[in-house]
């Protein structure tokens, strides 16, 4: 089994374990930890913090430091730099809304479990060519 396939299994297992994965767009770092604590207390442990705001990285870092039962991933990974930032933060997984060739190449070389967004047959073919495995939403995860 390739390293990319193994990471694909890791993320599929995370997604299967989670009944729901909230997509968090956090505007104020002060809101991050109370929000994460409330979600975890309600049984929602797998959290996606999107890179859509200037404080997203700091918010994710605060959650990881102060809410140890949260499984924090980074979403809205758009390029290899975002992927490297997610790895440096210590994210448990990464999610992208798309699948550019540069991002797929970086993700295939990365140790971070990663789910590229796939909307077209060409994106699927590119992901498969980079070592990602096809998974079906609703069944056993994503590509």
């Amino acid at each position: 089994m390739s390293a990319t396939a193994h990471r694909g299994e890791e993320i599929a297992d995370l997604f299967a374990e989670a009944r729901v994965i909230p997509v968090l767009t956090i505007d104020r770092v002060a809101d991050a930890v109370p929000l994460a604590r409330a979600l975890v207390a309600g049984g929602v442990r797998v959290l996606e913090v999107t890179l859509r705001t200037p404080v997203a990285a700091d918010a994710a870092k605060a959650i990881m430091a102060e809410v140890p039962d949260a499984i924090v991933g980074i979403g809205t990974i758009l390029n290899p730099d975002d992927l490297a930032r997610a790895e440096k933060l210590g994210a448990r997984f990464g999610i992208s809304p798309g699948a550019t060739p540069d991002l797929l190449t970086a993700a295939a070389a990365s140790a971070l479990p990663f789910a590229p967004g796939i909307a077209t047959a060409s994106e699927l073919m590119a992901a498969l060519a980079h070592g990602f495995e096809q998974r079906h939403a609703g069944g056993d995860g994503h590509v």
Side-chain angles (χ1 to χ4, degrees):
M1 175 185 306
S2 73
T4 304
H6 175 70
R7 287 188 307 278
E9 283 186 16
E10 275 185 65
I11 201 162
D13 289 346
L14 270 176
F15 290 173
E17 177 184 319
R19 292 184 6 200
V20 64
I21 301 174
V23 177
L24 307 176
T25 302
I26 300 172
D27 292 313
R28 296 180 331 144
V29 175
D31 296 336
V33 170
L35 175 60
R37 283 187 178 139
L39 288 165
V40 170
V44 179
R45 296 183 55 224
V46 180
L47 312 175
E48 176 189 343
V49 177
T50 65
L51 294 179
R52 295 180 192 161
T53 68
V55 303
D58 290 334
K61 195 181 311 182
I63 293 168
M64 288 185 265
E66 297 186 41
V67 189
D69 290 336
I71 299 169
V72 180
I74 299 297
T76 317
I77 294 176
L78 302 178
N79 55 53
D81 289 340
D82 289 346
L83 182 69
R85 184 164 40 152
E87 287 180 292
K88 186 177 177 182
L89 285 169
R92 295 278 303 275
F93 62 92
I95 298 178
S96 176
T100 66
D102 287 345
L103 182 55
L104 289 172
T105 297
S110 168
L112 184 69
F114 181 75
I118 304 295
T120 68
S122 294
E123 288 173 336
L124 175 61
M125 292 167 62
L128 293 172
H130 281 84
F132 291 89
E133 292 184 348
Q134 184 173 354
R135 301 195 184 269
H136 301 282
D140 56 358
H142 304 280
V143 170

